[in-house]
């Protein structure tokens, strides 16, 4: 059973059209939720870490929020250079240092 | 600042040939190190992770092995490649002792022919 589910799988936006990506998780006692951006043919680039419900982080046009069941990555007035796959990962309780990744949302922003 | 290197960037190998991919991290000590494989349209599959020199944990039984000969060096190997070993291989590191975010290398695109 997947612990991390991202939706939608793919999203096409017009430049300037704000939207949100969703990451829902089923682990209890979350130790951390991470967002990454991955460009084609490159390794994922770390964006944010969220630790507790109600927490928010911002970077340029991106804003990540966290509730007890899901996280949203809000993209405000996106530009074509925001096109990428966005990955979400969660860190469950316990001694393991292994996060669980979702399959990602592929975002394309048209000029 | 910390940096992570992987090489080679791309590799084309015939079935049955050996494999050696190398990853090194600079600017940190005793990092946790990870090898992932990413297939097209699929998520990241964790292959191996290491919390210290000589300490390797395997997540998926397969045709691959990993070694950590030095604190900041992680090597992925195979004695005989299979077609199914093709994919995008990513090395990552995280701060020792804490389940914090991972930082990824640029990746190696492996094609087995």
């Amino acid at each position: 059973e997947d612990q991390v589910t991202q939706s939608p799988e793919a999203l096409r936006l017009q430049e300037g059209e704000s939207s949100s990506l969703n990451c829902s998780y089923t682990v209890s006692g979350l130790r951390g939720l991470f967002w990454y951006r991955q460009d084609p043919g490159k390794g994922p680039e770390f964006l944010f870490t969220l630790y507790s419900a109600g927490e928010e982080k911002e970077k340029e046009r991106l804003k990540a929020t966290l509730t007890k069941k899901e996280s949203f990555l809000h993209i405000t007035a996106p530009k074509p250079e925001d096109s990428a796959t966005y990955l979400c990962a969660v860190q469950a309780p316990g001694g393991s240092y292994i996060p669980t990744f979702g399959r990602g949302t592929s975002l394309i922003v048209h000029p | 600042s910390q940096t992570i290197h992987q090489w080679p960037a791309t590799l084309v190998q015939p079935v049955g040939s050996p494999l050696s991919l190398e990853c090194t991290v600079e600017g940190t000590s005793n990092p946790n190190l990870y090898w992932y494989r990413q297939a097209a349209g699929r998520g990241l599959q964790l292959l191996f992770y290491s919390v210290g020199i000589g300490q390797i944990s395997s997540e998926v039984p397969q045709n691959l092995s990993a070694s950590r000969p030095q604190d900041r060096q992680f090597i992925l190997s195979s004695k005989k490649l299979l077609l199914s070993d093709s994919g995008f291989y990513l090395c990552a590191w995280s701060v020792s002792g804490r389940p914090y975010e991972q930082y990824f290398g640029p990746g190696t695109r492996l094609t087995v022919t």
Side-chain angles (χ1 to χ4, degrees):
Chain A
E1 179 181 350
D2 287 347
Q3 292 183 304
V4 184
T5 304
Q6 291 190 247
S7 61
E9 289 186 11
L11 181 63
R12 293 177 178 269
L13 299 173
Q14 289 297 127
E15 184 172 2
E17 179 187 3
S18 301
S19 187
S20 296
L21 312 182
N22 178 264
C23 172
S24 63
Y25 59 92
T26 58
V27 297
S28 57
L30 183 75
R31 298 181 73 181
L33 185 142
F34 315 107
W35 282 100
Y36 295 85
R37 169 193 170 125
Q38 186 174 22
D39 293 305
K42 297 188 177 181
E45 173 191 351
F46 169 73
L47 293 174
F48 305 109
T49 302
L50 301 168
Y51 295 109
S52 57
E55 189 174 0
E56 300 182 351
K57 294 276 181 73
E58 288 189 65
K59 181 179 181 180
E60 297 181 353
R61 294 175 294 281
L62 301 176
K63 179 180 178 179
T65 62
L66 181 65
T67 72
K68 290 186 178 180
K69 295 183 178 181
E70 57 192 350
S71 176
F72 292 95
L73 185 65
H74 307 277
I75 304 177
T76 302
K79 298 181 178 182
E81 53 261 42
D82 295 321
S83 298
T85 295
Y86 291 86
L87 299 170
C88 168
V90 300
Q91 186 72 51
S96 168
Y97 302 123
I98 305 170
T100 300
F101 280 84
R103 292 175 178 264
T105 293
S106 174
L107 172 66
I108 298 177
V109 182
H110 296 285
Chain B
S1 64
Q2 300 86 11
T3 57
I4 178 169
H5 305 278
Q6 280 187 250
W7 63 90
T10 60
L11 191 59
V12 180
Q13 293 284 93
V15 169
S17 64
L19 173 74
S20 181
L21 302 181
E22 189 166 342
C23 170
T24 59
V25 181
E26 296 177 354
T28 187
S29 296
N30 195 29
N32 299 322
L33 295 173
Y34 310 81
W35 278 113
Y36 287 90
R37 178 168 58 203
Q38 188 175 38
R42 301 181 67 179
L44 288 167
Q45 178 187 30
L46 180 65
L47 303 175
F48 301 94
Y49 72 96
S50 172
V51 298
I53 295 175
Q55 301 179 58
I56 309 292
S57 297
S58 174
E59 289 297 302
V60 182
Q62 57 203 328
N63 186 41
L64 302 170
S65 63
S67 62
R68 184 172 178 172
Q70 300 182 42
D71 181 42
R72 292 170 290 176
Q73 183 185 31
F74 207 21
I75 296 174
L76 183 68
S77 304
S78 174
K79 292 183 179 179
K80 290 185 178 181
L81 284 169
L82 306 172
L83 286 174
S84 58
D85 291 324
S86 294
F88 190 48
Y89 288 82
L90 290 159
C91 181
W93 73 274
S94 68
V95 175
S96 173
R98 302 189 301 183
Y100 286 176
E101 59 270 10
Q102 296 175 322
Y103 297 92
F104 287 82
T108 294
R109 174 71 61 188
L110 172 65
T111 303
V112 182
T113 61

